[in-house]
């Protein structure tokens, strides 16, 4: 929510939005910091948890045979923008993630897609036909005529920047994170190599795939 403080009270100037528009339960307990490297830039990360899971690790609990319970979302930069539609907090991936990219490959995403992990997929949606992306029972639809993104979580957002929207999709061991136009993110707790991304019938998306190096240097 964007507003101002008066006499120790917060006064909103317009209706608030969300820091993530994806699965309603996956992104939890977000935290921000602004002390490095530029004190004027604020970064955000959040806890990603499986839907319906409790907030602690039970005795002997492992997640699908893995030795961990949950994970963290990608580190993102937050910026406050004044747009034609009012104030918005834009969210985009931390710039240094590009240093993890390996040799790019041009691919076509169509129908049911089992995504490589870890990898980044970049594409632009052209045309005037609505496109739906789903993972399991969750997902969202982008409608060019209204420039709106409507998610199964019940959250919706109207894009502020003009032109065909650009997408950056990060697939990791337990997550799919969409970033659209550098404006918003939609995050899903999933297993991309076994739980496919499904694109609405008849839609072919030409994308550039970047396999990503692990942040755990050998």
């Amino acid at each position: 929510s964007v507003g101002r403080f008066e006499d120790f009270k917060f006064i909103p100037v317009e209706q608030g939005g969300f820091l993530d528009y994806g699965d309603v339960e996956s992104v939890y307990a977000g935290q921000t910091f602004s002390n490095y490297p530029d004190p004027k830039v604020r970064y955000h990360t959040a806890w990603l948890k499986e839907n319906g899971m409790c907030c602690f690790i039970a005795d002997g609990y492992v997640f699908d045979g893995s030795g961990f319970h949950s994970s963290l979302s990608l580190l993102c930069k937050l910026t406050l923008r004044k747009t034609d539609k009012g104030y918005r907090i834009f969210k985009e991936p931390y710039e240094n993630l590009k240093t993890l990219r390996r040799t790019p490959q041009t691919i076509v995403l169509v129908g049911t897609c089992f995504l490589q992990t870890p990898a980044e997929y970049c594409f632009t949606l052209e045309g005037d036909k609505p496109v739906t992306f789903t993972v399991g029972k969750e997902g969202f639809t982008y409608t060019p005529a209204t420039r709106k993104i409507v998610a199964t979580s019940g959250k919706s957002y109207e894009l502020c920047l003009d032109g065909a929207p650009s997408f950056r999709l990060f697939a990791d061991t337990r997550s799919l994170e969409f970033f659209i136009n550098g404006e918003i993110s939609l995050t899903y707790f999933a297993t991309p190599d076994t739980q496919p991304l499904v694109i609405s019938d008849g839609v072919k998306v030409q994308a550039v795939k970047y396999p990503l190096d692990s942040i755990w240097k050998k």
Side-chain angles (χ1 to χ4, degrees), residues 28-195:
Y28 185 77
Q31 50 191 309
T32 68
F33 65 90
S34 59
N35 58 326
Y36 181 84
D38 183 346
K40 295 181 180 179
V41 179
R42 183 160 293 272
Y43 295 97
H44 172 270
T45 187
W47 177 26
L48 302 184
K49 67 186 186 74
E50 184 187 9
N51 287 352
M53 287 302 300
C54 55
C55 299
F56 59 87
I57 300 177
D59 250 357
Y61 176 81
V62 291
F63 184 84
D64 288 349
S66 300
F68 59 86
H69 179 282
S70 302
S71 57
L72 289 173
S73 67
L74 290 175
L75 186 65
C76 296
K77 181 172 71 173
L78 303 179
T79 54
L80 179 63
R81 308 282 185 93
K82 188 174 183 179
T83 75
D84 292 342
K85 297 177 177 59
Y87 287 101
R88 296 291 183 270
I89 294 178
F90 281 16
K91 181 181 177 185
E92 55 188 331
Y94 182 51
E95 48 269 28
N96 276 14
L97 284 168
K98 290 183 179 179
T99 66
L100 300 176
R101 288 175 171 177
R102 301 207 301 268
T103 305
Q105 306 165 26
T106 299
I107 64 169
V108 174
L109 299 175
V110 59
T112 299
C113 309
F114 291 93
L115 302 179
Q116 178 183 340
T117 62
E120 177 185 356
Y121 298 80
C122 300
F123 56 91
T124 300
L125 284 186
E126 307 281 357
D128 55 6
K129 184 177 181 180
V131 182
T132 298
F133 298 88
T134 54
V135 184
K137 297 180 180 179
E138 304 292 337
F140 65 94
T141 298
Y142 168 66
T143 303
T146 60
R147 296 189 60 76
K148 277 192 174 181
I149 294 159
V150 179
T152 52
S153 62
K155 303 173 185 177
S156 64
Y157 179 86
E158 184 178 350
L159 293 175
C160 299
L161 302 182
D162 294 333
S166 59
F167 284 65
R168 293 177 69 186
L169 167 59
F170 290 85
D172 206 349
T173 306
R174 299 295 182 194
S175 61
L176 283 174
E177 297 183 62
F178 290 86
F179 295 89
I180 304 177
N181 256 17
E183 297 187 41
I184 64 169
S185 67
L186 297 101
T187 302
Y188 301 92
F189 194 93
T191 52
D193 53 348
T194 60
Q195 189 174 8

